[in-house]
Amino acid sequence: MPASPSTARAINDRLALRLLQQEGPLTAGQLKQLTGLSRPSVADLVERLSAAGLIDVVGESGEQRRGPNAKLYGIVADQAHLAALDVRTEGVSVVVSDLLGGVLAEASVPIGGDTGTGPAVEQAVALVERAAKEAGVPELHTVGIGAPGLIDPATGELRDSGGLPAWHRRLVLALQERLPETRVHVENETNLAALAEQRDGVARDRDTFVLLWLGHGTGAAVVLEGTLRRGASGGTGEIGFLPVPGTAGLPSAVDCEGGFHSLAGSAAIVALAERHGLTVEARGYEPPAASVVREAVASAAAGAATAAGAATTAVTGAATGVVAGAATDFLDALADRLAMGVAAVVAILDPGCLVLAGEVGQAGGADLAARVERRVRRMSPLPTEVRVSALGGGAVLRGALLTARERAQDELFAPLQGRGAPPGHAAPPRGRDQLPPARR
């Protein structure tokens, strides 16, 4: 059955808006070329979108041609304002942006483990309000939150978890109460990091990949054929519970101790480093494991340089070699551990690409990625490239902002298709998050 005229117009409007979002300001002629619509249809949609306040003239094309330059149309960026939060066990970071993702303000606040639930929530909510005020934003349309833990696919809320601070769950409710006109959405931090890497990071050329998050804990995000997969209960990627050899027991339904987490969590990596004689020092709010991995990579590189003839004296070379040897042994042992989890994922999903992310993955860099890739190649007949996150510590915030922007635009860009969730309602995440086609 052919679409009705009103439905066709709505489809064309959304197509044009998506193009303006992805490509930036365009002329009517460029919209005609990219959409395949006739000139009169493009003129009609430009008039409709302008009248609705969604687009406006933002300049001229500057093309060298006869007659006046063509008008450039762009999305009205200040039609709505957004906030993205990265909620960690030790603090919160926030970014406030316009509808196109232009950053207007950034802020963060540490929250110690001994802070009570009420004061912790107040600090986090006040941070959002302060950042919005600094950006000159009177009202936030949508807030996207990235947090560790499971998200209930039916309600979109953080599920209760004994391993996470109580203020995490309370924060979502507090934001809804303090900002009643704002749409609040929460998503697992690892999933958001994967969305960001696929849109703007190291996985831009991949439709299928797995992101392995290594920080205080472990997690994974699965993107298959351009779609983020959550699973029936929202638990896809809970790799910390994966049973693996080399642990003292088996994980349970309420505790991942004994699973992959026991080999690749921050505490386990620190213990491994100490067994290899490496000194571990805590630095700020970074997981101690990230610091020791970064130093080990640097020591191993220095040892390789020494072996290549960079040492100035035999004594210096010997001392450097001892440290480098311990660092290399530690990195090899860590890669052995990570490869067990990665090989299991590869055997089931055959993703072709795995992204190391989180503080530890970023600290290990290309060195750790190469060690893991070599081991997986020996363990599996399925070719798998191991890459390092290109967005680093900003991946979760970037993913939260992308998600908030997409949800706000879905609502604002659909004037003929009704509105989305009512203000203050934490809408559940979509069962399928469709990402843009991979650019090859």
Side-chain angles (χ1 to χ4, degrees):
M1 178 183 297
S4 67
S6 61
T7 300
R9 285 194 297 271
I11 293 172
N12 292 341
D13 290 352
R14 290 177 66 83
L15 174 58
L17 287 165
R18 286 299 180 193
L19 287 170
L20 289 169
Q21 171 197 337
Q22 296 168 4
E23 305 295 335
L26 298 169
T27 65
Q30 290 170 327
L31 281 171
K32 174 182 179 298
Q33 181 180 9
L34 291 171
T35 62
L37 298 172
S38 67
R39 190 178 300 277
S41 294
V42 170
D44 286 344
L45 73 83
V46 166
E47 183 177 353
R48 283 195 303 275
L49 297 176
S50 297
L54 296 175
I55 68 173
D56 200 358
V57 177
V58 296
E60 296 182 342
S61 66
E63 297 172 353
Q64 297 299 318
R65 48 176 234 154
R66 294 181 180 179
N69 290 337
K71 295 178 180 179
L72 278 170
Y73 295 95
I75 293 173
V76 179
D78 61 359
Q79 186 184 40
H81 295 95
L82 321 168
L85 278 72
D86 183 1
V87 179
R88 303 294 181 93
T89 56
E90 69 280 0
V92 177
S93 297
V94 62
V95 168
V96 176
S97 82
D98 59 31
L99 187 58
L100 292 179
V103 174
L104 304 176
E106 299 178 83
S108 62
V109 62
I111 298 178
D114 57 350
T115 306
T117 299
V121 170
E122 180 57 34
Q123 287 184 51
V125 174
L127 179 73
V128 176
E129 294 176 330
R130 188 165 63 249
K133 182 178 181 180
E134 179 184 333
V137 173
E139 181 178 296
L140 291 170
H141 182 282
T142 302
V143 173
I145 302 174
L150 288 172
I151 309 298
D152 190 320
T155 65
E157 297 177 352
L158 272 171
R159 288 168 56 177
D160 191 13
S161 173
L164 296 175
W167 64 266
H168 280 199
R169 297 185 72 243
R170 176 59 189 156
L171 174 60
V172 178
L173 297 175
L175 283 169
Q176 292 173 344
E177 293 169 358
R178 194 80 70 89
L179 307 172
E181 299 301 316
T182 300
R183 293 81 172 156
V184 180
H185 306 280
V186 62
E187 176 61 276
N188 174 267
E189 61 178 357
T190 307
N191 287 344
L192 291 177
L195 290 172
E197 292 290 349
Q198 205 277 345
R199 302 278 181 96
D200 302 323
V202 74
R204 285 176 294 178
D205 62 335
R206 305 294 304 197
D207 285 330
T208 295
F209 69 98
V210 170
L211 181 138
L212 177 61
W213 183 273
L214 301 171
H216 285 286
T218 60
V222 177
V223 176
L224 300 178
E225 297 179 350
T227 300
L228 177 66
R229 304 291 181 174
R230 291 189 177 83
S233 62
T236 295
E238 286 296 311
I239 195 171
F241 287 88
L242 178 72
V244 291
T247 63
L250 292 173
S252 70
V254 295
D255 189 357
C256 58
E257 193 65 32
F260 183 65
H261 173 82
S262 295
L263 297 183
S266 182
I269 294 174
V270 167
L272 179 66
E274 290 174 342
R275 285 203 295 273
H276 282 82
L278 302 183
T279 302
V280 180
E281 296 181 4
R283 295 183 178 179
Y285 291 98
E286 181 182 61
S291 300
V292 73
V293 167
R294 183 179 297 106
E295 292 176 2
V297 169
S299 295
T306 299
T312 56
T313 66
V315 174
T316 300
T320 301
V322 170
V323 175
T328 298
D329 290 345
F330 161 68
L331 290 173
D332 283 339
L334 176 57
D336 287 340
R337 291 183 171 194
L338 297 180
M340 279 193 286
V342 173
V345 171
V346 168
I348 300 298
L349 298 176
D350 186 19
C353 177
L354 181 124
V355 177
L356 287 183
E359 297 89 345
V360 175
Q362 192 72 15
D367 182 298
L368 183 59
R371 293 173 193 267
V372 173
E373 182 175 316
R374 287 196 295 270
R375 285 158 175 78
V376 174
R377 190 182 301 131
R378 293 197 297 265
M379 297 168 68
S380 172
L382 308 176
T384 305
E385 182 181 1
V386 180
R387 302 177 180 180
V388 183
S389 165
L391 301 177
V396 175
L397 266 180
R398 181 61 182 161
L401 186 58
L402 285 168
T403 302
R405 189 178 76 182
E406 181 175 286
R407 290 183 180 275
Q409 290 178 345
D410 278 348
E411 181 174 334
L412 294 169
F413 292 176
L416 301 179
Q417 298 180 16
R419 293 293 179 179
H425 175 68
R430 301 168 186 166
R432 292 167 57 88
D433 274 312
Q434 190 66 41
L435 281 63
R439 294 182 285 276
R440 300 196 180 279

